[in-house]
Amino acid sequence: MNLLGAIKGYVANQKRLDPKVMARALPTRNAFVTEEPTPDGGVALKAPIEQTGRGIMPALARRSKLNPEKTFELEPVGAFIWKQCDGKTTFNTISKRLQSEYKLSRIEADASLGAFLQMLSQRRLITMMVDKK
C-alpha cells in the first residue's frame, strides 16, 4: 500500500462527530488551567505540564527543575472563545456569537471554531462534553 492509500484509509476510519451532536457539545475548561489577560486583549493560559503533557513528558517535568507549567497565549478572538468555554454554552451558541461579533458567515465561524476547539482539546485545555441523548 502506498502512502496516499494509507492516509486515505486512516482518514476514512476516523470517528467524526455528527454535526448535530457537535452543535450541542459543551466546551468545558480544564479546572487546572489559570488565565491572565495580555495587553493586546488576549489571554495567557497556564497549565501544569502533568495536565497537558502526554507520554514521558509529565514524568520528566516532575523530576526536572524546569518550569512545571506550560503557557499558551491566545489572541483576542481566541480569548473571546475561551471565555465562553464554561460548560454551559453550546458550540452552536458560540458560533452564532462569533458570527455576530466578527462578521463571519456560519460556515467560516463553524470551521474556525471547530478547529480552534480541537486544538484546545488536544492540548488538554478543554473537554468537549457531549450529551448522549
Side-chain angles (χ1 to χ4, degrees):
M1 177 184 295
N2 64 18
L3 181 60
L4 183 58
I7 292 171
K8 286 181 179 178
Y10 175 78
V11 170
N13 289 325
Q14 291 298 302
K15 291 185 178 182
R16 300 183 193 276
L17 279 179
D18 178 351
K20 291 179 183 176
V21 174
M22 187 64 169
R24 295 189 326 262
L26 300 167
T28 306
R29 290 179 227 152
N30 180 332
F32 292 102
V33 177
T34 60
E35 61 183 84
E36 58 184 64
T38 59
D40 67 350
V43 66
L45 306 177
K46 293 186 180 192
I49 290 179
E50 297 90 27
Q51 295 298 317
T52 61
R54 292 188 175 142
I56 196 166
M57 287 307 293
L60 289 175
R62 283 190 295 272
R63 292 177 185 253
S64 73
K65 296 185 189 248
L66 297 176
N67 187 354
E69 292 183 322
K70 185 161 183 161
T71 302
F72 302 89
E73 289 193 29
L74 305 180
E75 83 294 347
V77 177
F80 177 82
I81 295 169
W82 172 257
K83 291 174 185 166
Q84 297 177 66
C85 294
D86 57 8
K88 299 174 186 170
T89 308
T90 65
F91 178 94
N92 252 5
T93 302
I94 297 172
S95 177
K96 287 177 184 174
R97 290 176 183 168
L98 270 176
Q99 292 169 49
S100 174
E101 183 76 18
Y102 295 98
K103 310 297 184 235
L104 300 174
S105 71
R106 184 187 58 80
I107 293 171
E108 291 171 326
D110 285 353
S112 300
L113 179 59
F116 185 69
L117 292 178
Q118 180 179 358
M119 182 271 304
L120 291 178
S121 180
Q122 287 173 343
R123 287 169 175 75
R124 297 183 180 186
L125 299 172
I126 66 164
T127 300
M128 294 295 285
M129 305 300 287
V130 181
D131 189 2
K132 291 188 179 188
K133 291 180 185 178

